[in-house]
Amino acid sequence: MSDLLERLRGRGWRMTAQRRVVAEVLDGDGAAHVHLTADEVHARAAGRLPEISRATVYNTLGELVSLGEVIEVATDGRAKRYDPNAHQPHQHLVCSRCGVIRDVHPAGDPLAALPATERFGFTVSDVEVTYRGLCPDCATAA
Amino acid sequence: MSDLLERLRGRGWRMTAQRRVVAEVLDGDGAAHVHLTADEVHARAAGRLPEISRATVYNTLGELVSLGEVIEVATDGRAKRYDPNAHQPHQHLVCSRCGVIRDVHPAGDPLAALPATERFGFTVSDVEVTYRGLCPDCATAA
DNA sequence: TCCTACAATAGACATTGTCTAAGTCAAGAA
DNA sequence: TTCTTGACTTAGACAATGTCTATTGTAGGA
Ligand SMILES: [Mn+2]
Ligand SMILES: [Mn+2]
Ligand SMILES: [Zn+2]
Ligand SMILES: [Zn+2]
């Protein structure tokens, strides 16, 4: 966590109470597996700093994404989710019914599955894989 | 195309001018590679049937998705896109700059890359892969 | 301590999608 | 063919998510 704040300071960030709280909400206490929406980040941040605005949360999240400290994931076509686990490549497993998200680590490099003949001249730099199914709770409740 | 209309009739669809136009916009003349947003579908449908409403376009698209005739894809966290190429499994290659989308066919079954130990009791039934990079035009313009 | 460029705020605005109440009509029945 | 009826369509309100601007505040260096 303080690692993150150190990196941000090193990148010239002006350290404000708002930015500190957003970073703490995202990256605090063993939160490597959370995937919060912007509104959820705002709600938790407002718990510590009641006057923080939505615009600041959106701005800060956008900056963290630009800096590569947080990854934006869109698993449901609704609100984007913000993933602080940006330094460990991983993919996501999503329950189609309740929406719960798990980090998963597929075997091999997913990029390698796309042959050159299927790249159409693109410079392919990234791949995002979303596995979908039913979580154990939803499967038994079905 | 008439294939699609036949299947819909067989499923008990009441055939209205609005539904016919939406199906034609999505699945008409060699459109296997289009990925339109709901608003784009509405605009094209309104070209043929000016009084068609947004609600009807959203309703019809939702029905086509439920019936498995069209696939909903969210490549940019903004508007969902509707893909009539639902009967041929494929994935998408997206330009990070201009947003252009290509259908691609990775080697092997992407589901096979997720080991049982990484499934956490989920019943995994589907996988969606989005490759990202720069298209040839955007790469040279960079 | 003071300055100032950068950051935060409130709230308007934009985009995308959902819902409801009222009117319309496709398709089967008579 | 005409009638009937429940499915369908419509306009527009509403909701959720995200963006932008004008104003005010402040972190950090001089
Ligand atoms: Mn994650
Ligand atoms: Mn496609
Ligand atoms: Zn579930
Ligand atoms: Zn491009």
Side-chain angles (χ1 to χ4, degrees):
Chain A
M1 214 294 296
S2 59
D3 285 354
L4 172 58
L5 292 183
E6 282 314 313
R7 283 199 299 277
L8 295 176
R9 236 186 290 267
R11 289 179 190 256
W13 256 36
R14 182 175 294 189
M15 194 50 56
T16 67
Q18 291 85 350
R19 287 173 165 180
R20 195 187 324 271
V21 165
V22 168
E24 284 172 5
V25 164
L26 274 175
D27 207 32
D29 45 50
H33 54 291
V34 306
H35 302 86
L36 300 175
T37 64
D39 257 16
E40 288 166 350
V41 172
H42 180 246
R44 296 191 184 197
R48 298 178 176 215
L49 192 67
E51 70 278 19
I52 192 172
S53 70
R54 287 193 334 124
T56 292
V57 170
Y58 275 102
N59 287 340
T60 305
L61 289 173
E63 290 158 1
L64 289 169
V65 170
S66 294
L67 294 175
E69 297 288 351
V70 164
I71 288 175
E72 219 171 46
V73 294
T75 54
D76 61 351
R78 311 190 65 159
K80 292 175 195 165
R81 291 180 175 276
Y82 292 87
D83 187 340
N85 191 11
H87 296 299
Q88 184 198 30
H90 67 279
Q91 306 301 337
H92 293 111
L93 172 56
V94 181
C95 177
S96 309
R97 172 167 301 190
C98 71
V100 68
I101 302 176
R102 298 267 338 210
D103 286 355
V104 292
H105 302 85
D109 178 6
L111 257 185
L114 193 67
T117 58
E118 285 285 312
R119 298 192 181 196
F120 303 103
F122 278 58
T123 307
V124 185
S125 53
D126 191 31
V127 58
E128 189 182 329
V129 183
T130 305
Y131 299 93
R132 295 184 191 281
L134 292 178
C135 73
D137 288 353
C138 289
T140 57
Chain B
M1 215 293 295
S2 60
D3 284 355
L4 173 58
L5 292 182
E6 282 314 312
R7 284 198 299 278
L8 296 176
R9 234 187 291 268
R11 291 181 190 254
W13 257 36
R14 183 173 292 189
M15 194 49 56
T16 67
Q18 291 85 351
R19 286 172 165 180
R20 196 187 322 272
V21 165
V22 169
E24 284 172 5
V25 164
L26 274 174
D27 207 32
D29 44 50
H33 54 290
V34 305
H35 303 85
L36 301 174
T37 64
D39 256 16
E40 288 166 348
V41 172
H42 180 246
R44 296 191 185 197
R48 297 177 177 217
L49 192 66
E51 70 277 21
I52 192 171
S53 70
R54 288 195 331 128
T56 292
V57 171
Y58 275 103
N59 287 341
T60 304
L61 290 172
E63 290 158 1
L64 288 169
V65 169
S66 294
L67 294 176
E69 297 287 352
V70 163
I71 288 175
E72 219 171 47
V73 295
T75 54
D76 61 353
R78 312 192 64 160
K80 293 174 193 164
R81 291 180 175 274
Y82 293 88
D83 187 340
N85 191 12
H87 297 299
Q88 184 198 30
H90 67 279
Q91 305 300 338
H92 292 111
L93 171 56
V94 181
C95 177
S96 309
R97 172 167 301 188
C98 71
V100 69
I101 303 176
R102 297 271 333 213
D103 286 355
V104 292
H105 303 85
D109 178 7
L111 258 185
L114 194 67
T117 57
E118 285 285 312
R119 298 192 181 197
F120 303 103
F122 279 58
T123 307
V124 184
S125 53
D126 191 30
V127 58
E128 188 181 330
V129 183
T130 304
Y131 299 93
R132 297 185 190 280
L134 292 178
C135 73
D137 287 354
C138 289
T140 57

